[in-house]
Amino acid sequence: MDTNKKNYGIMTKALHCGWSGDPETGAFGLPIYATSAYKFRDTAHASDLFSLNESGHIYSRLSNPTVAAFEEGLNALEGGVGCLATASGHAAFVHLIAALCSSGDHLVVSDKLYGGTTTLLKDIFARFGVTTTFVDIDHPCQVDQAIREETRGVIVEIIGNPTMNVAPLETLARLCARKQVPLIVDNTFATPVLCRPFEFGAHVVVHSTTKYISGNGNLIGGAVIDGGTFDWAACPEKYPGLAKPDASYHGLVFTEKFGKAALYAKLHTSILRDLGGCPSAFDAYLLHLSLATLPLRMQRHSENAATVAAFLEQHPAVDEVNYPGLESHPQHDMAKIYLKEGCGGMMAFSLKGGLEAGRSLIEKLQLISHMANVGDSRTLIVHPASTTHSQLTQEERRAAGIGEGLIRLSVGIENVEDIISDLHQALEAANK
Ligand SMILES: *Cc1c(COP(=O)(O)O)cnc(C)c1O
């Protein structure tokens, strides 16, 4: 990042980082570089690019200027040393795990995760010999006990899905550092506006940019941000891809050549090159546009959600509301530390009438949309047990805190009276 932008506030960074205009044409808007590849100046330039002796664009699977502008913007917001944008949140996890793990390696992962991430680890990575131990991160001693010699990372979500448990970041970061294992935080629900995990000792951040970062529900995307805070070179046997010679670059050692940004460099120049889950320039353009309003939107999501959570909590038909901003939430104190600027728009609640009442509520809503997505600027609702977490067994759902009647609400940025009035009429109708 432009070092003179380092000390700006989050709103200024969101508007100015990543792109400040085209020096040649003066164009202020970010162009969509719709190109597969890039002309070399001469043969020396070409071979310098290929050997990483010079940075620059070769082929859009590896990098693209529109994508780079978005990556730089998001990296600036998180405060990392480099960001890799990917075609989806899942692709972000696939590329990151491929950079850190080989067959025989192991991960320690929160048991309250986005259902798709759990399936990816259990079904795909397990077949390639990377195994996972799922633990309850609300009890960090479980994480401590599960880490073994082969462990290559601990993965948590800043706010768990859909129970809204807040990760004890500092405790986890401290024990991960002691065991020489990176703490990987999926920051999708908070975004860097509400929480910057690197400030609390995390080493890597992952996003599904499909959600709040887009905010428009118009694309699928993901990102990995390297905090530059993990010393891969201190344990080369564990992370040979980063700290030992890379045969595909004639023996280059990423930690030697790129220092703190070794993981970022590895992800971009080697993992993305080989796995190929790159985003399109058009999607990166849309995401870069969305970054500009992210701080305003997150502020509004948080305010609206706090009002909606308070409304639901006092409603006689509601059994329980999970929202970290509520005093009744088990990790409310944790939220005060890690989510100082607001708790975002995600909550879950259950009705006294159970599954049937939940179903009926969803049917009666008029403004709020019934969809398997979150983080849209429009308010969305879903029943996890029959949709997003339906691939899990009932047993696994119970471990993840997903009751059969639980409803997940992603509060948007509409006028909050309209959201509440829609919930109110649907609760009344469902109660009849
Ligand atoms: C949606 C989501 C993902 C997966 O991202 P995709 O963009 O759908 O591939 C991962 N983590 C969290 C917390 C999510 O909400």
Side-chain angles (χ1 to χ4, degrees), residues 88-90 114 117 157 186 188-189 208 210-211 220-221:
S88 68
H90 266 211
Y114 176 74
T117 309
E157 286 175 4
D186 181 334
T188 301
F189 279 14
S208 166
T210 313
K211 317 292 166 54
I220 299 286

Side-chain angles (χ1 to χ4, degrees), residues 83 87 114 127 129 135 152 178 221 228 266 282 290 293 312 327 401:
C83 166
Y114 176 74
R127 282 201 281 116
V135 295
R152 298 293 174 263
R178 178 160 47 79
K266 176 82 185 180
F282 181 65
S290 287
T293 56
L312 287 172
E327 282 198 19

Side-chain angles (χ1 to χ4, degrees), residues 104-107 148-153 238:
D105 289 346
H106 171 254
L107 294 163
R148 25 185 237 239
E149 193 48 43
E150 307 81 49
T151 305
R152 298 293 174 263
K238 283 181 159 182

